[in-house]
Amino acid sequence: RVYNGLVARKLIKIKNQLILKTSRSPYLLMWISLFCISCDSSWNNPYPRQESSQSVYYDSFSERPKHLDPVSSYSSNEYVFLGQIYEPPIQYHFLKRPYELIPLTATYLPIATYLDKNGEELSEDSNPEDIDSVKYRIKIKSGILFQPHPAFAKDENNNYIYHNLDSADLKNVNMLSDFDNTGTRELLANDYIYQIKRMAHPRIHSPIAGLMEKYILGLDDFSTTLKNTSKSKKSFINLNDYPLSGVRLIDKYTFEIVLKEKYPQFIYWLSMSFFSPMPWEADLFYSQEGLAEKNISLDWYPVGTGPFMLTENNPNRRMVLERNPNFRDETYPIDGEDADLNSGLLNDAGKKMPFIDKAIYSLEKESIPAWNKFLQGYYDTSGIVSDSFDQAVQFSAQGDAQLTEEMLQKGIRLLTATTTSTYYMGFNMADDLVGGDNERARLLRHAISIAVDYEEYISIFANGRGKPAQGPIPPGIFGHISDEAGINPYIYHWENNRAVRHSIELAKELMQKAGYENGISDTTGKPLVLNLDTPAAGPGSKAAFDWLRKQFSKLGINLVIRATDYNRFQEKMRKGTAQIFQWGWNADYPDPENFFFLLYGPNAKIDHNGENAANYKNEKFDLLFDQMKSMKNSRNRQKLIDQMVELVRYDAPWLWGYHPVGFSLHHAWYKNAKPNLMANNTLKYKRINPELRKEKRAVWNKPIWWPIVVIFIAVIIVLLPAFIAYRRKESELIR
């Protein structure tokens, strides 16, 4: 009884305190509601409220970039960042079509000088046999500065502060920003030379090292020298101490690259990140013991002269690019195509770039959340996945793609472009089962190529946005033939003025000839099991995997899907442990050589870490490639291309896949949107109207209050009997 009395008094005290507080703020709930309504940022806004009025670009990424060292990177998901940070000597004009190369850090576009054995200058039309060497002289602009970085930091005595770090210095260092001091210096011609030397570094895997050793004078010998040096010298190798005969320093701002033979496509390579400058200070800084273990490396923290620098690298959450405070005065183009003026693409002509202060890329592993955030205004641009295609796009009676009414009401705009790309399924030609040049394996590859119906794939998974590939060269690249003469006769026949895939019955006949009747091996008596390695993963990929299994099962083949993350997939490709794989290629430059070199023997992935992922080797193809690559576009070049296409169609190292048609969406506040399939450094041209974005977000993300009111009333209804019972019990205790 005494205990119950104490409890009762305690409950009464609590009740009185609540009544007192409520009497002081009788409109507490109303004030909270009004405060929430007055917020200028929606409740579901994933970004800080203060960013709403800032010039920030928002986008997403789905795979962590493995390499941000420009000499190692060769993936489009990495170029999204590299292109904004590093600056090769030249670039593509943002607006002009056909694509046109223009200077970036260079003062003029380099011109090839052809020389004979006596050093006498030759004309461009000279026979390749008469050309002994080719020179490209590059002069860069003065006054260009690197971004702020600890590698450049010096003390009052002009000594580098962080070039001799020990474990004590790194005790409290976990990321690059933990270094207190930064510095900068002017870009010099030697920084470009240093980067070219890094291609041959034995501790760095450059995917174009084998190709460049074939052309740049002395790079192969330089590679051998570095390999021998690295065996005896485990620490930092200062490449300035080792001369490279094919790359010569002329003066502070001028250098020269010497090629062993004519290679017209080399000018295109000078626009790629492989030929970006690398300061020796950064190479030394990142080579110090203890930094790599903390993920402080060039693959994590780039050092460039571009308009942006990577200030946050959290691949499990987001990547952040911010304006480089040391960036020079580069202006928006003043000319373009005729239609660019009317479409507003020249409104910023002559204005200083970049126009945005920050770019935030958030991790989105699934397409649907990314799509929803785009519709809410939290991403500025978006592709269109199959699940959302009908919501975004409809086709007119003439077959033209148009936005749906929902998209038009939001002010969303559509851009389309026939991409110079190819998505393909490759066979590892080094594999004992599906590879090799024997008839058994070749017939198997042809049968699979017929069975996998890419017309159906494009219809189901790409909403008709693509064209089945007949070979390695996509539309828009010289050498592509689109009529009857351009079909792959091993997979298609011409019927009713179009290419028609051979029947599955023919594919089964090929399987029988190969010794796999009904999918049963005539040597083992067991069902044929093949493995497909792919970087695709997640629920969104399940339907495509099921479809692929169904295609292979037409021939009695059991297809095992081995999905993994992209970095692990790349490792499998380098080691040659994949059997069948899916991959794609975006043109680096508008020339057929850029696609044929994916099948060039000396570029084999497992032998030379090149881009020949199928490890295809055909001596006749390689000889034709060597002839074709240095020719101008002409009838004779087309004849060589036709022969090369016939060889790879017959050998079938790829199941040719399809060439996609690109669809992209952007909001009305996103300006200077024009597809550029060659350039990777387009972020500097973009402009954002943050006030319009803020206004639209507020309209599209208004809080819905009625569920809260309903829940509140429901809670009162549920608690009311308990409250009445409590009051009754309280009265009894008091009595």
Side-chain angles (χ1 to χ4, degrees), residues 359-431:
I360 298 176
Y361 299 82
S362 301
L363 178 65
E364 295 285 358
K365 292 188 175 182
E366 299 296 334
S367 59
I368 297 303
W371 172 250
N372 289 333
K373 288 178 185 177
F374 169 72
L375 294 181
Q376 292 168 328
Y378 296 129
Y379 290 140
D380 299 320
T381 63
S382 175
I384 310 177
V385 296
S386 297
D387 293 340
S388 308
F389 189 83
D390 292 338
Q391 183 183 2
V393 175
Q394 59 188 3
F395 289 98
S396 66
Q398 293 75 32
D400 298 325
Q402 299 174 342
L403 288 172
T404 60
E405 187 62 30
E406 178 186 353
M407 300 297 108
L408 291 173
Q409 288 179 358
K410 284 179 172 286
I412 292 172
R413 297 166 188 178
L414 170 69
L415 289 175
T416 63
T418 301
T419 64
T420 50
S421 307
T422 184
Y423 292 156
Y424 66 92
M425 183 179 295
F427 300 98
N428 182 4
M429 298 297 279
D431 183 76

Side-chain angles (χ1 to χ4, degrees), residues 138-211:
I138 302 167
K139 185 176 180 64
I140 64 171
K141 301 168 185 174
S142 62
I144 298 176
L145 298 177
F146 282 99
Q147 67 181 67
H149 195 276
F152 303 117
K154 292 184 178 181
D155 60 21
E156 60 276 6
N157 297 319
N158 206 37
N159 296 317
Y160 290 101
I161 300 175
Y162 303 122
H163 282 200
N164 191 24
L165 300 172
D166 56 28
S167 56
D169 297 323
L170 298 177
K171 183 177 180 181
N172 297 317
V173 172
N174 295 300
M175 59 184 67
L176 193 69
S177 58
D178 290 334
F179 290 99
D180 296 328
N181 301 288
T182 61
T184 188
R185 71 158 170 82
E186 186 181 21
L187 172 67
L188 303 174
N190 190 62
D191 297 317
Y192 285 98
I193 295 176
Y194 198 91
Q195 173 75 333
I196 295 172
K197 290 179 178 179
R198 293 182 73 241
M199 294 179 187
H201 202 299
R203 298 173 194 163
I204 302 172
H205 298 290
S206 176
I208 68 165
L211 181 67

Side-chain angles (χ1 to χ4, degrees), residues 409-462:
Q409 288 179 358
K410 284 179 172 286
I412 292 172
R413 297 166 188 178
L414 170 69
L415 289 175
T416 63
T418 301
T419 64
T420 50
S421 307
T422 184
Y423 292 156
Y424 66 92
M425 183 179 295
F427 300 98
N428 182 4
M429 298 297 279
D431 183 76
D432 293 335
L433 186 58
V434 300
D437 60 357
N438 60 82
E439 187 70 7
R440 181 183 176 97
R442 185 181 299 109
L443 290 171
L444 174 62
R445 295 193 295 269
H446 282 174
I448 294 172
S449 298
I450 294 172
V452 181
D453 187 347
Y454 265 95
E455 286 81 5
E456 184 178 278
Y457 180 92
I458 294 168
S459 175
I460 296 174
F461 299 103

